[in-house]
């Protein structure tokens, strides 16, 4: 029965933070374009390799966007698919395995489905085999209308590198697809070139590699630079095709690209030791919310609220004017004046306004030094409660017992 859901629902209702009244519905009726930036970490933003900017386009673009610079990924072993799970459901992925594989038969109340219920055409665009990460199956549970995968793109050896189609042709062909989709649409585009082992060649190599003992880190900057160029071309193309003004464009990094195995090289680049504290800070991924009519002409701003991928669903739905008050979700609207500075990683580490908890140690954010454990204690409880509740929902398929008010209103006569 659904009695377990009652406790969880009570916790969630009590935690709901109401949207900012000026931001709610600010993009009502617009297309929602979400770009999952492969392996994109925040440390490359406004940074350089031997004087060469790594993300010249994005560094300018964030001035015309809301840029969240204290935003964290919360993925586990399911990598990209975990980030998609967080985005769609505002639930945590699992602490082992990939929920896309293990629980694709569950009932969900995903953003794609909610948008479809609200008159949107919902899709994913990703030029890879459709069954990778079990996406073709999971996407049905998430309510996507269509998955534009490898077979919908014209992929050749010339326009491919490493894992598959390069980002520039991917975006190019995706805009052609967009022209054919009914409006308004929601589409999530998943990039691929900035993926381990981070290889770009010839004219796609726009900056020099870094020089350290880690070839992975050395090349990473060059593939990030290529991705930045691809996004730049994409935005221009949206403008040329008249889609830009009718859309909001959201980008986020899916998870880290540089693992702890490269700490030594990373220390060299950052000019400081990668302590457990610094490692948590390296889990920041950029979140960029670009609303043409609102943030263009330098009207964007950098927002340093602490949040994570779990916050995406309520944040984005509220911008489109769709209520989430009744949703079973663990995220909070990042634009809400009541948003709490707190984010928990899938492995139990967490970050608050003043503290970072990592390696069973409480650190001051300010001094980066260890502080008394009691400072982290109240958050520790909240962190494990949320992960635990979220796991219960997934393992027990508890959303079977949840009635989506939105869906109900659409089907009741
Ligand atoms: C594959 C792409 C990369 O389709 O999403 O997956 P990852 O290895 O980053 O999870
Ligand atoms: Mn990925």
């Amino acid at each position: 029965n659904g009695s377990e859901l009652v406790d969880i629902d009570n916790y969630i209702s009590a935690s709901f933070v109401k949207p900012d009244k000026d931001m709610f519905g600010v993009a009502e009726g617009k297309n929602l374009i979400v770009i999952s930036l492969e392996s994109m970490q925040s440390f490359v933003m406004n940074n350089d390799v031997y004087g060469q900017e790594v993300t010249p386009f994005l560094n300018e673009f964030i001035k015309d966007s809301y840029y969240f610079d204290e935003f964290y990924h919360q993925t586990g072993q399911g990598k990209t698919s975990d980030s998609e799970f967080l985005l769609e459901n505002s639930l945590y992925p699992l602490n082992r395995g990939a929920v896309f594989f293990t629980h694709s038969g569950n009932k969900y109340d995903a953003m794609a489905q909610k948008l479809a219920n609200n008159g949107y055409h919902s899709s994913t665009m990703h030029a890879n085999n459709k069954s990778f990460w079990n996406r073709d199956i999971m996407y049905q549970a998430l309510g996507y209308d269509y998955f534009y995968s490898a077979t919908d793109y014209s992929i050749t050896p010339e326009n491919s590198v490493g894992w598959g189609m390069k980002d520039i042709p991917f975006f190019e062909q995706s805009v052609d697809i967009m022209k054919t989709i009914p409006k308004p649409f929601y589409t999530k585009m998943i990039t691929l070139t900035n993926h381990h082992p981070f290889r770009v060649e010839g004219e796609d190599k726009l900056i020099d590699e870094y020089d350290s003992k880690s070839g992975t880190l050395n090349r990473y900057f060059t593939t990030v630079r290529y991705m930045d160029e691809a996004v730049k071309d994409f935005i221009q193309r949206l403008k040329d095709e008249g889609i830009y003004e009718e859309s909001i464009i959201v980008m986020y990094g899916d998870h880290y690209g540089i693992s702890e195995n490269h700490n030594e090289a990373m220390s060299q680049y950052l000019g400081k030791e990668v302590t457990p504290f610094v490692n948590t800070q390296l889990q920041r991924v950029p979140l960029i919310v670009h609303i043409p009519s609102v943030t263009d002409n330098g009207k964007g701003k950098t927002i340093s609220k602490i949040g994570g991928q779990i916050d995406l669903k309520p944040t984005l739905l509220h911008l489109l004017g769709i209520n989430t008050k009744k949703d079973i979700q663990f995220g909070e609207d990042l634009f809400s004046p009541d948003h709490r500075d707190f984010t928990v990683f899938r492995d139990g580490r967490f970050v608050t306004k003043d503290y970072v908890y990592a390696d069973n140690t409480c650190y001051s954010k300010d001094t980066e030094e260890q502080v008394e454990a009691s400072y982290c204690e109240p958050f520790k409880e909240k962190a494990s409660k949320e992960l635990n509740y979220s796991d219960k929902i997934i393992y027990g398929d508890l959303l079977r017992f949840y009635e989506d008010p939105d869906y109900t209103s659409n089907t009741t006569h």
Side-chain angles (χ1 to χ4, degrees), residues 90-123:
S90 193
L91 297 173
Y92 295 95
L94 299 176
N95 68 353
R96 58 156 79 165
V99 60
F100 262 43
F101 274 112
T102 58
H103 292 82
S104 59
N106 275 16
K107 168 102 169 53
Y108 293 101
D109 180 41
M111 184 163 81
Q113 182 67 62
K114 290 181 87 73
L115 287 170
N117 294 348
N118 281 275
Y120 275 72
H121 180 276
S122 62
S123 66

Side-chain angles (χ1 to χ4, degrees), residues 119-237:
Y120 275 72
H121 180 276
S122 62
S123 66
T124 290
M125 298 183 176
H126 183 45
N128 196 2
N129 190 314
K130 67 178 166 38
S131 61
F132 199 93
W133 283 128
N134 202 32
R135 284 184 174 110
D136 52 341
I137 307 298
M138 185 57 155
Y139 284 176
Q140 294 174 27
L142 301 179
Y144 283 102
D145 291 317
Y146 197 80
F147 177 18
Y148 300 95
S149 65
T151 48
D152 296 278
Y153 289 85
S154 143
I155 306 176
T156 63
E158 291 71 44
N159 70 17
S160 302
V161 71
W163 276 57
M165 194 179 198
K166 297 194 278 191
D167 291 345
I168 289 177
F170 162 68
F171 278 120
E172 237 173 62
Q173 294 185 26
S174 295
V175 173
D176 289 337
I177 295 173
M178 274 176 203
K179 291 194 278 185
T180 70
I181 307 182
K183 314 288 180 306
F185 63 78
Y186 158 46
T187 193
K188 177 187 56 188
M189 313 175 79
I190 306 175
T191 67
L192 198 53
T193 309
N194 188 43
H195 193 290
H196 189 269
F198 310 116
R199 290 197 190 279
V200 280
E201 293 145 10
E203 57 170 24
D204 297 327
K205 196 167 188 177
L206 300 163
I207 56 173
D208 298 331
E209 288 180 14
Y210 184 57
D211 184 14
S212 75
K213 276 194 230 154
S214 162
T216 297
L217 180 67
N218 298 349
R219 292 187 305 273
Y220 178 69
F221 297 103
T222 63
T223 48
V224 172
R225 176 64 186 82
Y226 173 83
M227 181 165 63
D228 180 84
E229 193 71 14
V231 171
K232 173 184 158 188
D233 286 1
F234 173 62
I235 299 293
Q236 186 55 49
R237 207 162 273 262

Side-chain angles (χ1 to χ4, degrees), residues 237-306:
R237 207 162 273 262
L238 287 180
K239 289 180 178 171
D240 296 345
E241 297 295 345
I243 303 172
Y244 176 78
E245 287 293 334
E246 290 311 309
S247 308
I248 68 168
I249 300 129
V250 176
M251 302 177 206
Y252 69 88
D254 62 350
H255 50 73
Y256 66 77
I258 305 299
S259 74
E260 291 183 30
N261 299 337
H262 306 276
N263 274 359
E264 203 186 314
M266 191 61 116
S267 302
Q268 181 190 329
Y269 180 73
L270 298 174
K272 62 176 174 182
E273 195 195 336
V274 182
T275 61
F277 177 90
V278 171
N279 183 277
T280 60
Q281 298 306 288
L282 284 170
Q283 305 313 310
R284 279 179 292 197
V285 294
L287 169 62
I288 301 168
V289 178
H290 185 81
I291 311 174
S293 56
V294 179
T295 55
D296 264 347
N297 304 313
K299 285 188 291 210
K301 63 175 173 208
T302 297
I303 301 175
S304 299
K305 289 182 189 178
I306 289 153

Side-chain angles (χ1 to χ4, degrees), residues 58-110:
L58 290 177
N59 295 346
E60 288 305 309
F61 194 66
I62 59 176
K63 295 178 187 161
D64 291 339
S65 309
Y66 296 114
Y67 172 53
F68 292 86
D69 66 350
E70 285 285 341
F71 182 80
Y72 294 80
H73 85 82
Q74 296 165 299
T75 60
Q77 292 170 344
K79 307 296 303 258
T80 312
S81 70
D82 278 357
S83 74
E84 296 180 65
F85 187 80
L86 281 146
L87 163 76
E88 285 298 335
N89 302 302
S90 193
L91 297 173
Y92 295 95
L94 299 176
N95 68 353
R96 58 156 79 165
V99 60
F100 262 43
F101 274 112
T102 58
H103 292 82
S104 59
N106 275 16
K107 168 102 169 53
Y108 293 101
D109 180 41

